[in-house]
Amino acid sequence: MMKKPSLYIAHLSLMVLLVLPALAAGQALKAIQLPAPQMDGGRPLMQVLKDRKSSREFSPEKLPAQVLSNMLWAAFGVNRPGSTGRTAPSASNSQEMDVYVAAADGLYVYDAKAYALKPVLAEDIRALTGRQAFAKDAPVNLIYVADLSKATRAAPADRDFYAAAHTGFISQNVYLYCASEGLATVVRASFDRAALAKAMGLRPDQKITLVQTVGYPKK
Ligand SMILES: Cc1cc2nc3c(=O)[nH]c(=O)nc-3n(C[C@H](O)[C@H](O)[C@H](O)COP(=O)(O)O)c2cc1C
């Protein structure tokens, strides 16, 4: 028996509704294998400390994959061969912080063991990472997220405080890397947490602590 035209249209609309989002997610973002980080470069620590500062003027120029890899390794990379130790400390070695990377092509999360960026969302959410205009144009906004499901050794009352402390260590590592390499950076708390968490699809026990913009200085 022939279906009525209206039934065909309803059927087609349903297919479009079901298939299009799947296609969008599927064609979405691919994982990025970063080059291994270069751990032997950089300027002397005392000179770098002398130059550490916040900058709020960024060039839109992209960061090369090697620079991104080095910066993420400095932030919270695995730094001791044969161990899971990281470049930043964490209470009871909980390592509950995830470093997300919001770039023009989408949102990724850093996989420190694999030196890779794992795809999260094929959307440019940089504008949501800050109320300051530069956030949407800078090539990279790091979003620090505490996965509190991994912070089980800490008393519940301590977990937010520890996450804030861990973020400070990671963020300062990024500041020092940027000072060493002539990059511009600023860590930021001024953003709409609820809107950003929603866009990122975070669970309730994943808490955004701070964000940090990184790029080349504006010429
Ligand atoms: C927790 C925290 C939140 C901050 N939030 C912002 C922010 O939302 N926007 C901004 O432009 N700078 C922000 N900053 C950067 C400070 O303004 C900056 O570190 C301070 O002015 C000192 O400047 P310096 O980093 O160059 O020494 C923040 C810094 C910290 C530690």
Side-chain angles (χ1 to χ4, degrees):
M1 197 175 77
M2 287 278 288
K3 277 185 189 167
K4 284 188 188 162
S6 58
L7 270 182
Y8 273 118
I9 290 167
H11 185 73
L12 263 179
S13 315
L14 186 66
M15 290 295 285
V16 167
L17 278 176
L18 289 173
V19 170
L20 274 189
L23 276 181
Q27 68 185 209
L29 226 40
K30 294 209 170 75
I32 298 177
Q33 181 60 55
L34 296 168
Q38 299 161 318
M39 303 172 197
D40 52 0
R43 295 195 295 126
L45 177 64
M46 298 308 258
Q47 287 176 30
V48 166
L49 283 165
K50 207 162 132 282
D51 290 341
R52 190 224 57 92
K53 64 174 186 210
S54 298
S55 307
R56 296 174 185 82
E57 295 199 324
F58 297 86
S59 152
E61 187 183 338
K62 278 191 169 183
L63 298 182
Q66 187 69 63
V67 171
L68 201 53
S69 178
N70 295 354
M71 191 255 292
L72 290 165
W73 178 81
F76 200 37
V78 177
N79 71 347
R80 280 154 275 177
S83 140
T84 56
R86 300 292 192 97
T87 56
S90 57
S92 306
N93 199 19
S94 58
Q95 302 186 4
E96 88 282 26
M97 298 307 302
D98 286 312
V99 181
Y100 285 74
V101 177
D105 58 338
L107 178 70
Y108 301 85
V109 64
Y110 179 51
D111 180 338
K113 290 187 192 103
Y115 306 141
L117 290 176
K118 293 199 296 193
V120 177
L121 190 68
E123 256 177 63
D124 182 356
I125 61 160
R126 290 176 297 169
L128 278 176
T129 69
R131 301 193 168 97
Q132 291 157 285
F134 60 75
K136 69 176 186 333
D137 302 317
V140 163
N141 284 286
L142 303 176
I143 306 169
Y144 301 124
V145 176
D147 181 349
L148 296 180
S149 71
K150 294 183 186 160
T152 47
R153 290 203 207 157
D158 291 332
R159 288 178 192 167
D160 284 353
F161 170 69
Y162 289 172
H166 300 160
T167 303
F169 298 121
I170 295 171
S171 152
Q172 178 72 351
N173 285 348
V174 172
Y175 265 110
L176 295 179
Y177 175 78
C178 289
S180 176
E181 299 302 313
L183 294 169
T185 190
V186 60
V187 74
R188 299 184 288 103
S190 171
F191 58 91
D192 182 336
R193 261 158 221 287
L196 182 55
K198 189 171 175 211
M200 294 171 74
L202 298 182
R203 305 184 313 268
D205 59 357
Q206 287 179 294
K207 306 267 191 222
I208 304 170
T209 51
L210 292 173
V211 303
Q212 185 161 9
T213 309
V214 181
Y216 290 103
K218 197 171 187 173
K219 284 178 191 126

